[in-house]
C-alpha cells in the first residue's frame, strides 16, 4: 500500500456485548491489541460514502503505513476484514467476530488460541462462560413460530421476494449508470422508500448534465435525505449538483456523448460554466425532456449561430421543436437543424422570371398608351 492510494470502508456488523467479549478474550491474544483497536475504530466510525487517502487514517491514528498494513493483514487472516482492490483503490469490508460459543467450535482457531496462550488460560475463560446445559430438569416451553399463515402467500408476495433477491435493473439511457450507483450505497444513506423512478431518473439526469461522479453523487444524495421531515429533497440535490465544480477535460467538438457541462466548457475553451448557462442546461433536460447528446448538439449550434451567445429566446423554440418531433439522437438533431438552414436559404433567394413570352412594344406605341392614360 501507498499513503496516496485511496480506501473506503463498508461496515457490515454491529458489535453486541457477546461480540466484544469474544474480541477481547479470544481475538486479542491472536492478533494483538493494536489490530483490535484498528478494527473497533473503523466499526465505530461507520461506512464511508467516498474514497479517502490512506494518509488521512495514518494521521488520525498516528501510525505508520507499515503498522497499518501489518494490522490489516492480521484482520484479514482472522476473517474480520475482507480487502478488495481495483487499481489504486481499496474497499475494506468489516465482518462481525465470532461469538465465544462459535469460536470454541472452530477447530483451527481454538487450537491456535491454546498454542499462543495456554490450556489453563483457555479453561479459565470457559469457566466464565454460561452454558445452556446447566438447566437440567427445566421444561422448554419456548413459543415456536407457526407457518400456517404462509398458506396465504400470493404470487405478488413471491414477486416482491424475487425482486429483493434480484434487484430491478434500470435503463435510463444516461452516461451515469444508476445500477452502479445503487450497488455501492447503503440503505442507511439512501433509504429504499426514496428510490422511486422519479428520484432515480433525476439523479442520473443531473449527473449527465453537470458531470457528477458516483462518489460525489452518493455524498449529495445522503445530504438530500431529510430525516427530520422524512422526505427526499430534490431541490437540495439540484442545488448541490448545479454548484458542483468539475475539472476541465478536453473532448472532441463533435463528441456529443459526454456530460453537458464538460462539453460546454470545451466550446468556451475551458472557461467555467456560469449559473445562467447551468439553468439553461437544466431547463433543456427537465422542461424540454432532451437527453445530454441532443443538448450538446443544440448548445453547439446556438453558440455558432448567435455570435457565441447562449440565448434563451433562440435555443428554447428549437428545443420545443425537438421535443415535439421526438428528436432523441444527435444525428437526427443535426439533420433537423440542417433542414431548417436549407429552408431559410431557399426563402432568401429572389425568383427568376422568364421573359421569353413577353409581348414586344415599340417606343411610339408606348408613348401613345401613356398619352391615353393621361400620364404624358
Amino acid at each position: 500500500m501507498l499513503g496516496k492510494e485511496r480506501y473506503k470502508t463498508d461496515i457490515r456488523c454491529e458489535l453486541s456485548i457477546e461480540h466484544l467479549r469474544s474480541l477481547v478474550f479470544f481475538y486479542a491474544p491472536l492478533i494483538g491489541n493494536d489490530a483490535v483497536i484498528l478494527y473497533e475504530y473503523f466499526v465505530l466510525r461507520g461506512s464511508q460514502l467516498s474514497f479517502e487517502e490512506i494518509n488521512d487514517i495514518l494521521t488520525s491514528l498516528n501510525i505508520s503505513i507499515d503498522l497499518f498494513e501489518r494490522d490489516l493483514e492480521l484482520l484479514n487472516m482472522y476473517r474480520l476484514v475482507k480487502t478488495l482492490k481495483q487499481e489504486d483503490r481499496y474497499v475494506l469490508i468489516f465482518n462481525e467476530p465470532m461469538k465465544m460459543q462459535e469460536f470454541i467450535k472452530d477447530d483451527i482457531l481454538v487450537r491456535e488460541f491454546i498454542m499462543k496462550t495456554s490450556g489453563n488460560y483457555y479453561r479459565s475463560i470457559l469457566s466464565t462462560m454460561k452454558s445452556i446445559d446447566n438447566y437440567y430438569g427445566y421444561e422448554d416451553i419456548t413459543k415456536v413460530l407457526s407457518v400456517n399463515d404462509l398458506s396465504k402467500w400470493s404470487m405478488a408476495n413471491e414477486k416482491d421476494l424475487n425482486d429483493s433477491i434480484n434487484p430491478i435493473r434500470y435503463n435510463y439511457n444516461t452516461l451515469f449508470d444508476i445500477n452502479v450507483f445503487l450497488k455501492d450505497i447503503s440503505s442507511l444513506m439512501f433509504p429504499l422508500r426514496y428510490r422511486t423512478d422519479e428520484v432515480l431518473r433525476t439523479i442520473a439526469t443531473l449527473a449527465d448534465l453537470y458531470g457528477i461522479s458516483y462518489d460525489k453523487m452518493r455524498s449529495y444524495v445522503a445530504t438530500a435525505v431529510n430525516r427530520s421531515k422524512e422526505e427526499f429533497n430534490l431541490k437540495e440535490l439540484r442545488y448541490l449538483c448545479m454548484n458542483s465544480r468539475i475539472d476541465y477535460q478536453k473532448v472532441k467538438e463533435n463528441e456529443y456523448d459526454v456530460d453537458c457541462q464538460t462539453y460546454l466548457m470545451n466550446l468556451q475553451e475551458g472557461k467555467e460554466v456560469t449559473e445562467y448557462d447551468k439553468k439553461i442546461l437544466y431547463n433543456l433536460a427537465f422542461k424540454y425532456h432532451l437527453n445530454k447528446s441532443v443538448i450538446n448538439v443544440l448548445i453547439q449550434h446556438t453558440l455558432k449561430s448567435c455570435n457565441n451567445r447562449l440565448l434563451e429566446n433562440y435555443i428554447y423554440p428549437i428545443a420545443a421543436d425537438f421535443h415535439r418531433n421526438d428528436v432523441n439522437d444527435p444525428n437526427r438533431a443535426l439533420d433537423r437543424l440542417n433542414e431548417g438552414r436549407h429552408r431559410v436559404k431557399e426563402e432568401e433567394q429572389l425568383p427568376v422570371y422568364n421573359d421569353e413570352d413577353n409581348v414586344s412594344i415599340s417606343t411610339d406605341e408606348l408613348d401613345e398608351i401613356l398619352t391615353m392614360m393621361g400620364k404624358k
Side-chain angles (χ1 to χ4, degrees):
M1 284 183 170
L2 299 175
K4 291 187 176 181
E5 292 182 318
R6 306 178 76 83
Y7 80 99
K8 73 174 183 178
T9 56
D10 181 358
I11 310 302
R12 300 184 179 181
C13 59
E14 293 183 4
L15 297 183
S16 65
I17 296 297
E18 284 298 315
H19 289 120
L20 289 173
R21 284 198 185 102
S22 182
L23 200 60
V24 170
F25 292 122
F26 280 142
Y27 284 91
L30 296 177
I31 64 178
N33 292 331
D34 289 340
V36 171
I37 292 172
L38 182 67
Y39 175 85
E40 291 178 335
Y41 175 84
F42 277 123
V43 172
L44 294 174
R45 188 182 181 196
S47 297
Q48 295 171 224
L49 293 177
S50 58
F51 286 89
E52 299 177 5
E53 280 195 4
I54 294 176
N55 279 330
D56 294 340
I57 190 64
L58 300 181
T59 302
S60 298
L61 295 177
N62 192 27
I63 59 175
S64 67
I65 186 69
D66 292 335
L67 288 177
F68 178 75
E69 280 193 281
R70 183 203 66 183
D71 292 339
L72 183 60
E73 183 176 317
L74 288 167
L75 294 173
N76 279 217
M77 291 168 57
Y78 289 93
R79 305 193 292 273
L80 292 172
V81 175
K82 184 176 182 180
T83 302
L84 307 179
K85 182 179 181 182
Q86 185 179 70
E87 297 178 353
D88 62 344
R89 293 188 171 192
Y90 296 85
V91 177
L92 307 180
I93 301 174
F94 282 72
N95 303 311
E96 291 178 345
M98 287 187 289
K99 294 180 181 179
M100 297 181 75
Q101 290 285 359
E102 296 169 335
F103 189 97
I104 63 176
K105 293 178 182 178
D106 189 296
D107 293 337
I108 296 176
L109 291 183
V110 74
R111 284 170 170 76
E112 186 174 0
F113 179 82
I114 293 173
M115 287 177 62
K116 286 194 174 182
T117 58
S118 68
N120 288 333
Y121 180 67
Y122 177 63
R123 284 189 292 273
S124 68
I125 293 177
L126 291 183
S127 66
T128 64
M129 296 171 56
K130 293 182 179 180
S131 173
I132 59 172
D133 296 332
N134 291 336
Y135 301 105
Y136 178 77
Y138 284 80
E139 179 185 0
D140 187 352
I141 59 171
T142 305
K143 297 297 182 183
V144 179
L145 176 67
S146 172
V147 296
N148 292 335
D149 287 342
L150 288 180
S151 61
K152 301 175 184 177
W153 186 264
S154 65
M155 292 300 295
N157 297 138
E158 189 69 22
K159 183 178 183 302
D160 289 338
L161 175 62
N162 291 331
D163 288 346
S164 64
I165 298 173
N166 303 303
I168 300 171
R169 289 195 62 80
Y170 300 90
N171 183 15
Y172 293 142
N173 191 28
T174 54
L175 282 173
F176 188 87
D177 190 337
I178 200 69
N179 302 293
V180 173
F181 171 77
L182 292 175
K183 184 179 178 181
D184 289 329
I185 188 168
S186 69
S187 57
L188 178 64
M189 296 298 156
F190 187 25
L192 298 178
R193 61 183 176 278
Y194 299 137
R195 302 185 187 189
T196 63
D197 184 73
E198 177 192 8
V199 170
L200 296 179
R201 190 181 295 274
T202 300
I203 291 171
T205 304
L206 287 172
D208 272 15
L209 287 180
Y210 304 119
I212 311 299
S213 67
Y214 291 110
D215 289 338
K216 190 175 290 186
M217 184 61 82
R218 291 185 186 101
S219 175
Y220 291 167
V221 165
T223 303
V225 174
N226 191 324
R227 302 188 186 281
S228 61
K229 294 184 179 180
E230 285 293 314
E231 65 178 11
F232 187 83
N233 193 333
L234 284 174
K235 290 184 179 179
E236 176 72 10
L237 181 66
R238 171 191 170 186
Y239 173 81
L240 292 170
C241 292
M242 289 184 68
N243 287 276
S244 180
R245 296 179 181 272
I246 63 172
D247 295 329
Y248 174 58
Q249 296 179 356
K250 189 70 176 175
V251 297
K252 295 180 181 178
E253 183 179 2
N254 297 326
E255 185 180 332
Y256 302 114
D257 198 27
V258 297
D259 69 86
C260 298
Q261 183 167 203
T262 295
Y263 189 76
L264 182 52
M265 288 179 73
N266 275 263
L267 294 178
Q268 54 195 31
E269 299 178 347
K271 293 184 179 69
E272 188 176 341
V273 178
T274 65
E275 182 181 354
Y276 171 85
D277 291 342
K278 287 181 180 181
K279 288 181 179 178
I280 290 179
L281 297 179
Y282 180 88
N283 289 336
L284 292 175
F286 288 93
K287 293 186 178 180
Y288 294 92
H289 310 289
L290 304 181
N291 64 45
K292 44 93 177 50
S293 299
V294 174
I295 291 174
N296 288 338
V297 170
L298 188 49
I299 60 178
Q300 178 194 54
H301 167 79
T302 303
L303 292 177
K304 286 183 177 180
S305 302
C306 301
N307 194 23
N308 209 33
R309 291 175 292 179
L310 207 57
L311 301 178
E312 291 179 292
N313 59 357
Y314 182 88
I315 200 170
Y316 289 156
I318 302 176
D321 173 69
F322 282 179
H323 173 59
R324 182 167 48 253
N325 292 283
D326 298 322
V327 177
N328 51 21
D329 176 84
N331 293 324
R332 287 192 61 195
L334 289 168
D335 291 343
R336 192 156 187 84
L337 290 172
N338 288 331
E339 288 173 9
R341 191 178 296 115
H342 292 155
R343 283 197 297 271
V344 170
K345 288 182 179 179
E346 291 173 0
E347 291 170 0
E348 289 176 348
Q349 292 177 354
L350 294 175
V352 178
Y353 295 100
N354 185 357
D355 60 357
E356 292 179 358
D357 297 329
N358 288 354
V359 178
S360 61
I361 185 171
S362 67
T363 303
D364 293 338
E365 289 175 326
L366 178 60
D367 289 341
E368 184 179 347
I369 292 172
L370 292 173
T371 302
M372 291 175 61
M373 297 176 63
K375 301 290 184 179
K376 198 171 182 181

